Amino acid sequence: MGEEKKATIKKIQATGQMRKIMADYFYELDAAARDDSQKVAWCTSVGPAELLLSLGFRVYYPENHGAMLGATRMATNCIPAANAIGYSPDICSYLTSDVGAYLRKETPLTRAYEGIEGLPKPDVLVFNTNQCRDVQDWLSWYSREFQVPIMGISSFRNIGKITDEVLEGIVQQIKDIIPPLEKISGNKFDIDRFREVVALSKKCSASWKKVLETNMSAPAPLSFFDATIHMGPAVVLRGSETAVEYYELLLKELEERAKNGVGAVEGEKFRLYWEGMPIWGKLRDMSEFFIGFNTAVIASTYCNSWIFEAFDPADPILSMARAYTEIFIVRDENFKEKYIEDIVKRFKLDGILFHDAKTCPNNSNNRYGMPERLEKRLNIPTVTINGDLNDLRCFSEEQAKTNIEAFIEQLETSR
């Protein structure tokens, strides 16, 4: 096996535009929070954002803030503050780092954006438990803190086939929250405006999917580590023309890269799938580490989680219910294994890396034998590394890199 080389991360030109639209988003949120005539809703990242946008809310996503705390490595210092008020170090570290940061009066927003002094105070908190129960507990804490209403959708979990009965239950819950949201927003629900927002989310989602699928080319033009950053507009700006235009710009650049044989990893030798959460505080380190071994991590469950193919402006409530129920994290093991198998084949991958995130059991799919089953079925190797999305005290970088090096050596010998 060759020695690790000096790594250079190739710059994506569209990054400058992404930074601008993300800055605009946070400044507009900040202005809305200071203006009594505007209303701010906090929403879980796969919550009913389209409904909120159609009612005129500015929408803020605490999970995006949690990821920022991780990426800036502020999280580990903030988590103990939440532990001190009774939130276990074993629960979601997005939750504990975000609540801890609030208690410490810290946020990466003040460092990144001059003039922003803190989080945009909410008028309402809206959740969907499709990802986990933690998101409801998380927003419930802020509901008590800010004395504002909380409401949402309690989703089914571990679903195989999505039945009409499942969707009917979610559709009814969406309909139930419309009247109180109308009262808070001061705006009447307008089905035509809702259709417009859903149509824009559908366009955003379709473009994001095309961006990720440029990696079916060899070499792959976009690394998983870059994709975790460029998915930002799909998370916080879906339902807007801004997000649609951004992904058209990014797609054009990546298609040009693919056409010219420009890969994210110079001399791409191996192509991997990343299953599970990113390790936000180590994105650059991990990216450079893989580049050093000519290994490209090019597909993932995480980045695919913001592809919502079911959106249909003709039937916006039912299609939103379906879109937010079809996502990977909601589904049973059989669905998940078939999903990964399809991607491994379509993207011609050589192996799968499972990230066992200490505080995120719902996004750690290695714990019930899935790696072993997929190895046998697909005849490719897998490796599991232990870590966490935000709590770097759970991540041994040296141990993880040793395991990955041995894994890449296994890939070498299997050829």
Side-chain angles (χ1 to χ4, degrees):
M1 184 176 174
E3 293 294 320
E4 183 181 354
K5 300 184 306 183
K6 180 175 171 51
T8 302
I9 298 174
K10 293 180 183 174
K11 183 178 179 181
I12 294 174
Q13 298 304 318
T15 302
Q17 178 63 13
M18 184 193 65
R19 287 178 176 158
K20 179 184 181 305
I21 64 174
M22 292 296 283
D24 289 346
Y25 162 73
F26 283 113
Y27 279 121
E28 287 169 5
L29 261 177
D30 186 61
R34 299 167 187 264
D35 181 351
D36 291 340
S37 69
Q38 298 191 60
K39 300 297 180 184
V40 174
W42 288 19
C43 183
T44 54
S45 61
V46 195
E50 287 72 18
L51 176 62
L52 297 169
L53 291 167
S54 76
L55 285 164
F57 287 100
R58 293 284 183 179
V59 183
Y60 166 80
Y61 301 86
E63 286 144 285
N64 173 251
H65 189 250
M68 292 175 74
L69 286 163
T72 54
R73 302 189 184 181
M74 295 172 65
T76 302
N77 289 335
C78 295
I79 289 169
N83 301 153
I85 62 167
Y87 286 80
S88 167
D90 293 330
I91 65 169
C92 172
S93 60
Y94 272 175
L95 185 165
T96 51
S97 57
D98 187 65
V99 170
Y102 175 84
L103 293 170
R104 289 163 58 97
K105 302 187 188 322
E106 296 178 8
T107 169
L109 297 178
T110 60
R111 299 183 184 184
Y113 305 114
E114 187 177 357
I116 292 181
E117 296 176 355
L119 304 181
K121 186 175 181 298
D123 295 287
V124 65
L125 303 144
V126 182
F127 62 85
N128 187 337
T129 61
N130 48 5
Q131 298 172 90
C132 58
R133 63 159 281 177
D134 299 61
V135 294
Q136 183 176 1
D137 289 280
W138 184 353
L139 296 195
S140 294
W141 187 86
Y142 281 111
S143 175
R144 294 187 291 272
E145 176 66 18
F146 290 119
Q147 294 293 297
V148 296
I150 182 170
M151 60 193 76
I153 299 158
S154 296
S155 284
F156 300 90
R157 303 265 307 150
N158 197 31
I159 298 172
K161 181 181 178 183
I162 298 175
T163 63
D164 290 344
E165 290 74 18
V166 166
L167 292 178
E168 285 168 9
I170 296 170
V171 165
Q172 188 56 52
Q173 292 184 73
I174 294 172
K175 289 179 177 177
D176 288 345
I177 63 175
I178 291 176
L181 288 173
E182 285 180 318
K183 188 175 179 182
I184 296 166
S185 70
N187 295 319
K188 196 73 180 168
F189 176 65
D190 180 341
I191 189 70
D192 291 328
R193 174 59 186 147
F194 188 36
R195 291 184 204 280
E196 290 173 5
V197 177
V198 167
L200 288 169
S201 281
K202 184 177 181 66
K203 281 187 182 178
C204 170
S205 176
S207 294
W208 176 235
K209 181 182 180 184
K210 288 180 182 175
V211 163
L212 295 176
E213 288 187 343
T214 60
N215 277 351
M216 292 170 74
S217 303
L222 180 70
S223 79
F224 161 71
F225 306 101
D226 285 333
T228 60
I229 303 302
H230 286 271
M231 66 186 279
V235 177
V236 304
L237 287 167
R238 66 183 187 273
S240 71
E241 290 280 6
T242 303
V244 174
E245 291 168 1
Y246 175 68
Y247 287 120
E248 287 173 353
L249 177 71
L250 178 61
L251 179 62
K252 186 177 179 183
E253 180 178 348
L254 295 176
E255 286 178 337
E256 191 69 17
R257 273 191 176 192
K259 177 183 171 185
N260 294 325
V262 177
V265 173
E266 197 69 37
E268 177 188 289
K269 195 170 183 182
F270 301 113
R271 298 160 64 88
L272 302 183
Y273 187 97
W274 183 288
E275 164 48 38
M277 296 292 291
I279 303 169
W280 285 110
K282 293 292 179 180
L283 285 183
R284 172 171 283 276
D285 297 309
M286 297 300 286
S287 178
E288 291 176 343
F289 178 74
F290 279 104
I291 289 172
F293 288 103
N294 302 104
T295 298
V297 184
I298 59 167
S300 70
T301 308
Y302 185 73
C303 293
N304 285 7
S305 295
W306 272 264
I307 297 172
F308 306 112
E309 296 190 290
F311 278 137
D312 181 1
D315 198 347
I317 294 181
L318 177 63
S319 71
M320 188 171 73
R322 181 180 289 281
Y324 291 155
T325 304
E326 283 184 344
I327 58 175
F328 183 90
I329 195 170
V330 181
R331 313 304 291 277
D332 67 9
E333 293 276 291
N334 287 333
F335 174 90
K336 289 177 178 176
E337 288 178 24
K338 288 176 184 172
Y339 182 93
I340 293 173
E341 179 179 355
D342 174 64
I343 291 182
V344 166
K345 290 179 178 174
R346 288 197 296 123
F347 286 71
K348 296 181 170 54
L349 304 180
D350 299 295
I352 306 170
L353 181 150
F354 284 82
H355 172 209
D356 187 335
K358 167 73 173 170
T359 70
C360 189
N362 293 294
N363 254 326
S364 297
N365 289 296
N366 61 298
R367 299 182 182 182
Y368 298 91
M370 187 184 293
E372 290 75 11
R373 290 193 295 276
L374 287 176
E375 276 189 6
K376 189 175 180 181
R377 182 189 301 174
L378 300 176
N379 194 31
I380 61 171
T382 69
V383 65
T384 296
I385 61 170
N386 296 101
D388 193 56
L389 54 161
N390 267 16
D391 192 344
L392 291 179
R393 295 170 301 179
C394 303
F395 178 60
S396 168
E397 188 165 355
E398 184 178 356
Q399 183 63 56
K401 287 183 174 178
T402 298
N403 291 348
I404 294 168
E405 282 187 43
F407 178 61
I408 295 173
E409 190 167 357
Q410 184 183 359
L411 293 173
E412 294 264 16
T413 57
S414 65
R415 282 193 168 175

